[in-house]
Amino acid sequence: MWDLLADGTLLIHIKASLLRALLGFVLAAVIGIPLGFFLGGWFKLFERIVTPVLRLLAEVNPFSLFPVFILIFGIGEISKVSMIFWVCLWPILLNTITGVQHVDGLLVKSARSMGVRAVDMFFKVVLPAASPGIFHGLKTSCNTAFFMLIAAEMIGASSGLGWLVFNAQNNYQIPKLFATTVTISVLGLSLNYLFTELEKRIINWKENAPEY
């Protein structure tokens, strides 16, 4: 691992993997969160109709879709980012819908009785109340995105931690294989810790459930 860090090899592949994962994750968040608010808050009848379809799509094994993405987008960057976008979208979307649906109705009624405007209602009542569910979806998607990317990079990639693992395995470079595997594990744990800390800081109003 020290040799890989010293010559810059490991940092180059870490950067390539993180950029791909970040792009797919951000695209999924930008689309999934607003769509989750619309389906969970304003179009409830439509949400009841499409939710079974959405959950079915979410349960599709993403590994089985690799050939489809490669057939449509080729083996370049677009196919890898599309795979990450696919696996990140469903946890974010479904958890956002659930979070909006579980907003306490008394909070909404109380805000309306005090004449709160629709914009303030969203930012001061609905969004904070739904944020625990949204963060749960974001954290799940972040972990899934990174590890799914490692598998995607083993197919038709020339950079990234997944490619580094695949290359080390094929060339029987066992020290490099273990060094890369440890790096992947450390990055995965670091991302999980980062989102946990962000959740604590942003949702600092959330009280812990009482223990009985």
Side-chain angles (χ1 to χ4, degrees):
M1 184 177 290
W2 175 254
D3 292 339
L4 292 173
L5 285 171
D7 62 12
T9 300
L10 193 58
L11 295 178
I12 291 174
H13 292 290
I14 289 175
K15 180 181 178 181
S17 293
L18 289 180
L19 285 176
R20 290 167 182 155
L22 180 63
L23 183 56
F25 173 78
V26 170
L27 288 174
V30 168
I31 294 176
I33 293 176
L35 185 59
F37 273 103
F38 277 112
L39 292 178
W42 285 277
F43 300 99
K44 293 184 179 181
L45 178 60
F46 181 67
E47 184 267 335
R48 292 175 186 173
I49 298 173
V50 301
T51 293
V53 179
L54 296 178
R55 295 194 179 278
L56 177 63
L57 293 173
E59 293 299 324
V60 175
N61 190 329
F63 291 100
S64 65
L65 296 176
F66 276 1
V68 178
F69 283 104
I70 293 175
L71 179 64
I72 297 175
F73 301 110
I75 60 174
E77 295 297 315
I78 297 179
S79 62
K80 296 174 183 59
V81 173
S82 299
M83 292 177 193
I84 302 307
F85 168 79
W86 176 270
V87 298
C88 289
L89 177 63
W90 307 115
I92 294 175
L93 176 60
L94 295 176
N95 279 282
T96 301
I97 292 174
T98 302
V100 173
Q101 289 177 340
H102 284 81
V103 173
D104 192 346
L106 290 176
L107 296 176
V108 177
K109 291 179 180 179
S110 299
R112 285 176 178 171
S113 67
M114 291 184 288
V116 176
R117 296 182 303 170
V119 176
D120 293 331
M121 174 79 75
F122 176 78
F123 285 104
K124 294 184 178 181
V125 179
V126 178
L127 182 58
S131 55
I134 297 173
F135 258 93
H136 179 70
L138 290 173
K139 185 162 64 173
T140 303
S141 294
C142 180
N143 294 328
T144 305
F146 185 71
F147 289 108
M148 176 57 62
L149 176 65
I150 302 304
E153 287 177 341
M154 294 182 180
I155 305 175
S158 58
S159 63
L161 294 172
W163 176 86
L164 199 59
V165 169
F166 187 68
N167 181 262
Q169 177 186 351
N170 288 340
N171 292 286
Y172 298 100
Q173 298 172 326
I174 306 304
K176 182 185 290 188
L177 175 63
F178 279 110
T180 309
T181 303
V182 171
T183 302
I184 293 171
S185 300
V186 170
L187 285 175
L189 290 172
S190 300
L191 290 172
N192 185 70
Y193 175 78
L194 175 63
F195 266 89
T196 301
E197 289 300 312
L198 283 174
E199 185 177 11
K200 289 179 181 179
R201 293 177 181 274
I202 295 176
I203 317 178
N204 52 12
W205 51 265
K206 183 181 178 183
E207 297 181 356
N208 294 325
E211 297 181 0
Y212 297 100

